Each structure stands twice: as structure tokens, then as C-alpha cells.
Amino acid sequence: MVVLTALQVEYEAVRRHLENVREVELPQGTLLDVGRIPGLDWEVALAETGPTNTRAALITQPAIEHFDAEAVFFVGVAGALKDHIRLGDVVVASKIYGYHGGRESLDGFSARPWVWEPAHVIEQLVRSARREGNDPWAFLSPDTRPTPVPKVHVEPIASGDVLVGSRESETARRIRGHYNDAAAVDMESQGVAQAAAMHGTVRMLAIRGISDHADPGKASADAAGSQKTASRHAAAFAVRVLRDLRPARPSAPELIPAPPVVVVPGPNRASGGLAWDSQPVVEVEGQRYLVYEGPGDLFHETRDGDVVRRQAVARLVSDSGSPGTYVWLRQVEWPRSLRLPHPDPLAAFQREAKLCREVRGPDVVQLTGSSNTATLALAWPADPKLGRPLETLHELLPEAFAPVDPMRLWSIVKGLAEVAVALEWLSREGYSHRALRPTAVVMKRQWTVLRDLGLAAVPPRKGENLGPGQAPEQQYSSRFRPGPATDVYQLGALLHLALTGHYPAPGLPPCRPATQAVPVSLVHAVTGALQQDPRDRPGIEAFRAALLGALPELSSVQPPQR
């Protein structure tokens, strides 16, 4: 989740609750502290926005996208507008009024406010926390427990870009006249709420400690430390709500019982382990994997700091020495001294294994994890005649500028139309692959399959799937969220690769003019799939129908003369 504050004193009040903190810089240059609250499952990204709704919105939007946040809390101070609210009390917004919205004319001011309300579920958590044993602070340690104990009010907040320093000011009178149930006023809640609302499912809550009464006494109250006290009270109640807040997304299933198959643990630099490319057979616990070399990323290792990710086509070898099942083997390893990487590799593998069963993905051969290693092995189809793993789309693609082979192109188009079926199933379940590449498509004789489910098990985020097949919305600069339309683009990019020998280049025509070997309908399908705006692309079902419609034209084309 993302926690935003406007002032340094508010930031420090939240920061004291975090541990194992690391600094993260967003592409725009914004710096956030990311850590965890002891005893809670939430990872918290903390930012200081500065004052005004505009600044708050500009920080909130990219922070939500970068961390794929499920919730956003705006925590800090506000001025009270009601006499029954004391300094140090906490006001949780039941509504947020953007009080500057309106029409000014000779007849006076007519309010046209922007109004936001929290989700019912999260408001109920707030009310429950407020009344629990009549002491919502009981869970806090003595050093973070507010003294004296403040009251928690669930009431509306008015938000605008004016610092209200007098209840007799024109702005204060306007708020009383049009929003007379507002209990507090601040300068940022509206911007945070509006940015969060753009993401639909992101839950937002404004929690404000009262540091003044929006009157001339504000300066003296601030000098007496009221902002520091109010910030600590707001931060403490935010932590209290987080105790009961649960992720909206399904939690990872329990470990899937595995057959007696060994999983390669990978190298451990501390113990002097060996990488997969240093030995053809990796032996663990009396079992062995024969690791195959392959083109592209079929035999690959990457490092992100101390986190190592490996993948390869492999074959189980039994005790008798006879070959066993082919598998697509993936593994993530990190030092035991390092905090669990984000997103959790084992949880992601668990979700993918569950999805494989639900959407007819590859069979799960093995899923296992330890304190610093997560591994998933999925079945890889074998060629029964040749006794080897089936090849991928990579082997069917032509070299750049090579003449189009109609029969080969027919096989590719048919295969990608079959892949689109699996992508339709994923889309119906609310997921998307988002990492389609030539080596991800395994070409069977009867049916083309995916080697895995790509990025379906992890939330979409900007900057994912680096490389030539990256869709425009996967780039950091895009305002669109990756999703099913991303799969359509990547299918179009694979077809472009089959037609031309290279990936589409931004700003250039998506594919060369139709020839006798390339039907016009196929060119139009590829052109539509490669639109820069995801909203302009066809749906996955319509794109699959276009591919199937081009097959009769391709089958009627005579092969080139030798």
C-alpha cells in the first residue's frame, strides 16, 4: 500500500512505525521509503507530497502505478471546523468535499463540489477500530501510544488549496454555507482521493489528526507542538486500521502437493554452489535434472542485485538412468540475509500453478519453496518420434527480409490463433499473459500451447517485459495499464516478426504491403493489433477470428518456386 503525507512532521510520524526500510526512486524522480510494519503483512511505500491538492495528486498517481497499490492512506494533520473536536483528536473522512468546485456569478457562489466517499468495507473497519473496547490504541506499544487518549471522529472533510486561518474568512463562511457537516479542513485529501479513484479498485482513506481550529491561534498551536502530536495520533490510527485491512486480491493458495520429483535449488554463493550453465546435470537430494541449452531465453539467468532468476528446458533423470519428463524449469533465489523480494516469488509461482489448473495451462510437475528459493516446473511437450522436447515458434520464424513461406506462415497463424484461445480464458478470469515471445509458444502438431502463463500471476506494472516485444502501455511513460489488450499487441508483434523478420518499430508502418503470399486480411489484422492506443485494438476474440479468417487464403497460396 501507499501512505502519503504532506509535511515532514507527518512523514516522520509514519516512518517511525516502519522497519527494514529501503529507498525507492520512481521514474519521475520521486523518492519513497518502502518498509514493513512489524506484525502486519502490508508492505508500505511512504512519500511526502508537499502541500496542495495538485501536488498530492501528481505524487499519488505514479506511486499507485509503480507499486500496483491496493490501498492508499493519506495521513497527517488538519484544522478542526467544529468546536466539539479537540486538538489531538483524529478525524477519518466519511466524505471529502472538493470545496472549490462551483460557479461564481452576480447572484453569488453556487457550489458544484467534487465529493468522494470511502468504500463501505473500509469505513466499517474504521468504525470497528474506533469502538473496539473503547480504546483503539490498546494494541500500541507504550512509546507509540497517544497520551492523553484522543477521540476518533468519522466525519466529512473539506479540502481545497487555501490555508484557512480564520473561521470568519470568506472561505470558512463558504464551507459553512455549502458543506456545513464538514468537521475538518485540509489542502491535499481531494487530490489523493481523485488520483486513487482513477484506479477503480484502489481503496483510499484520509486520516487527519487535529493540530488547530482553523483560526488565528494556529501559529501558537503549531509552535507548542500540536502538529507533531496530531501527526503521531493520525499515524497510530492508520496502523490500527491496517491491522484489520485485508488484501482485496485472492491470497496465494497453499503449497500444491508435489510428486516425488526433485527441484534444482540453484547456486548459493555463500556455499559455493554452481550455476546451471556450469554443469549439464544438476543433482539434488539423489535426483537429477538434465538441463538443456536452447535459443533465446530457453536457457537463461538474470540477476537483479542479489536476486537470481534462472530458467531452462530440462529433463528428469530417474535412478535407473532412464530419461523422464521434460519440464520448463524456473527458479528464483535470494540470499537468506536478504528480505523476501517483491513480488513474493513463491506466492507468484503458487498463483500461476493454480491458474494452470483453472485455465488449461501446462501441467504442474513440481512446486516448492524454502527460506530463500522458489521453484516451479511445468510439463513441456515432447516429440515422441524424435525423443526430444518440442520446438517453439522461434524455430519457425524467418530471418530478416527472407521471402515469406506460405506453408510456414499458415502454421504460425494457426498456432497463434490457438494461443489466443488460452489468452481468452485468461482474460475471462481477469488475467493477462503480457510476456508473449517466440520461445513462449510451443508448436505441437495438433495444438499449439504456451510454455507458461507469463506475468499473469503478478500484478501489471509499468516497465515490465523489457525487450523488443514490450507493448506501449508497458512502458514507464504510458498512461494506460497493461492488460488483455497487451496480449493482442504482442500477438500482432509475433505475426509482424513472422512476416518481416523483425519486431515492429514505433512510428513506422506495422507491416509491409500485402503480397500474393500475405493476404490483405492478415495485414489488416496485424495493423489493428499494433495500434499504440490499447483502446483502438480489437479484442482477443475478434483478433482470433481474424486469424482464422486468413487461414483459407493462406492455404490457397502456392509455395514459391525453387
Side-chain angles (χ1 to χ4, degrees):
M1 69 169 300
V2 171
V3 175
L4 299 162
T5 64
L7 307 175
Q8 181 179 350
V9 64
E10 302 166 341
Y11 185 95
E12 292 171 349
V14 177
R15 176 65 176 76
R16 68 198 295 257
H17 290 277
L18 302 182
E19 63 179 19
N20 300 325
V21 176
R22 68 187 190 278
E23 188 176 70
V24 174
E25 182 177 0
L26 302 191
Q28 298 83 1
T30 304
L31 297 176
L32 298 95
D33 277 346
V34 181
R36 290 189 178 273
I37 299 173
L40 302 184
D41 294 332
W42 290 97
E43 186 173 45
V44 176
L46 173 63
E48 180 183 345
T49 68
T52 76
N53 285 297
T54 301
R55 289 178 61 89
L58 290 174
I59 298 297
T60 303
Q61 173 74 8
I64 291 174
E65 291 185 352
H66 183 85
F67 295 101
D68 193 42
E70 287 206 30
V72 175
F73 280 11
F74 184 52
V75 179
V77 302
L81 296 174
K82 303 291 185 182
D83 292 334
H84 70 279
I85 299 178
R86 305 172 302 174
L87 294 183
D89 282 0
V90 174
V91 175
V92 182
S94 61
K95 296 179 185 177
I96 296 175
Y97 295 121
Y99 65 77
H100 275 128
R103 179 178 181 271
E104 193 85 53
S105 67
L106 294 176
D107 297 331
F109 179 80
S110 299
R112 295 178 180 178
W114 183 88
V115 184
W116 170 93
E117 295 183 8
H120 175 71
V121 172
I122 198 169
E123 182 186 3
Q124 289 299 301
L125 290 180
V126 170
R127 295 185 184 278
S128 174
R130 181 180 62 166
R131 65 175 176 261
E132 182 180 340
N134 297 319
D135 183 5
W137 319 102
F139 77 102
L140 294 172
S141 59
D143 64 320
T144 57
R145 180 180 173 85
T147 304
V149 175
K151 290 185 178 180
V152 178
H153 309 266
V154 185
E155 299 190 44
I157 288 176
S159 184
D161 288 342
V162 174
L163 181 63
V164 180
S166 170
R167 292 196 183 182
E168 300 307 316
S169 66
E170 178 61 31
T171 299
R173 287 196 294 269
R174 180 173 293 174
I175 292 173
R176 283 198 302 272
H178 296 281
Y179 318 102
N180 58 12
D181 59 343
V185 60
D186 72 11
M187 299 173 63
E188 301 86 17
S189 290
Q190 176 199 349
V192 175
Q194 200 157 12
M198 293 175 63
H199 294 269
T201 59
V202 174
R203 293 166 286 176
M204 186 271 177
L205 196 64
I207 303 173
R208 318 304 288 162
I210 298 302
S211 61
D212 61 80
H213 283 97
D215 59 17
K218 172 177 171 55
S220 58
D222 290 349
S226 65
Q227 283 194 339
K228 186 174 182 180
T229 299
S231 296
R232 288 197 171 193
H233 292 182
F237 191 71
V239 173
R240 173 62 189 86
V241 176
L242 273 182
R243 289 182 61 217
D244 295 333
L245 186 63
R246 296 291 179 263
R249 298 164 190 154
S251 59
E254 297 181 358
L255 280 177
I256 301 171
V261 177
V262 69
V263 180
V264 184
N268 185 326
R269 285 181 288 281
S271 61
L274 298 174
W276 289 0
D277 60 359
S278 65
Q279 48 189 340
V281 177
V282 182
E283 184 172 348
V284 179
E285 299 179 5
Q287 302 268 3
R288 292 176 294 166
Y289 272 109
L290 177 63
V291 180
Y292 283 60
E293 292 188 3
D297 64 346
L298 291 182
F299 184 72
H300 195 54
E301 177 177 303
T302 59
R303 293 174 183 268
D304 182 7
D306 289 327
V307 179
V308 182
R309 301 177 186 273
R310 305 180 185 87
Q311 57 190 38
V313 178
R315 193 169 195 177
L316 292 169
V317 180
S318 67
D319 292 336
S320 63
S322 61
T325 306
Y326 289 108
V327 297
W328 173 235
L329 189 64
R330 287 179 291 156
Q331 184 180 81
V332 182
E333 184 193 20
W334 59 96
R336 288 185 173 87
S337 59
L338 183 70
R339 191 174 61 82
L340 189 69
H342 178 77
D344 182 342
L346 180 58
F349 281 164
Q350 289 172 327
R351 286 192 291 270
E352 182 170 355
K354 183 173 182 290
L355 276 174
C356 282
R357 289 172 165 81
E358 293 176 348
V359 300
R360 306 183 196 179
D363 291 336
V364 178
V365 176
Q366 178 75 24
L367 170 63
T368 191
S370 65
S371 60
N372 73 319
T373 306
T375 311
L376 176 63
L378 301 176
W380 186 285
D383 187 323
K385 292 184 177 180
L386 300 178
R388 65 185 185 189
L390 283 175
E391 295 181 333
T392 67
L393 175 62
H394 180 277
E395 283 72 30
L396 283 180
L397 293 174
E399 297 180 359
F401 308 114
V404 174
D405 183 333
M407 294 307 297
R408 179 177 292 190
L409 184 58
W410 185 91
S411 299
I412 292 173
V413 172
K414 176 178 178 293
L416 292 182
E418 292 164 352
V419 166
V421 175
L423 299 177
E424 287 178 33
W425 290 331
L426 273 179
S427 178
R428 283 196 292 266
E429 296 298 322
Y431 298 92
S432 51
H433 191 286
R434 310 192 314 279
L436 294 168
R437 57 196 64 185
T439 53
V441 179
V442 185
M443 305 297 291
K444 296 176 66 175
R445 292 175 183 243
Q446 299 83 9
W447 189 255
T448 303
V449 297
L450 290 167
R451 70 182 186 191
D452 57 38
L453 298 186
L455 299 175
V458 296
R461 62 191 308 166
K462 298 300 175 63
E464 66 181 16
N465 189 43
L466 292 174
Q470 187 183 47
E473 61 270 21
Q474 293 179 300
Q475 300 170 8
Y476 282 117
S477 59
S478 174
R479 62 191 178 96
F480 297 107
R481 186 181 179 89
T486 306
D487 291 345
V488 175
Y489 179 91
Q490 291 177 350
L491 282 177
L494 291 177
L495 274 172
H496 188 281
L497 196 58
L499 292 172
T500 66
H502 56 80
Y503 276 102
L508 296 179
C511 103
R512 63 190 181 187
T515 66
Q516 182 182 8
V518 183
V520 173
S521 60
L522 187 59
V523 174
H524 288 168
V526 175
T527 302
L530 295 179
Q531 294 299 308
Q532 295 295 296
D533 190 329
R535 297 170 297 183
D536 295 335
R537 299 172 200 154
I540 188 68
E541 293 184 12
F543 185 66
R544 175 173 173 264
L547 298 185
L548 292 175
L551 287 177
E553 296 181 73
L554 283 170
S555 62
S556 64
V557 175
Q558 296 298 318
Q561 296 297 318
R562 298 293 182 183

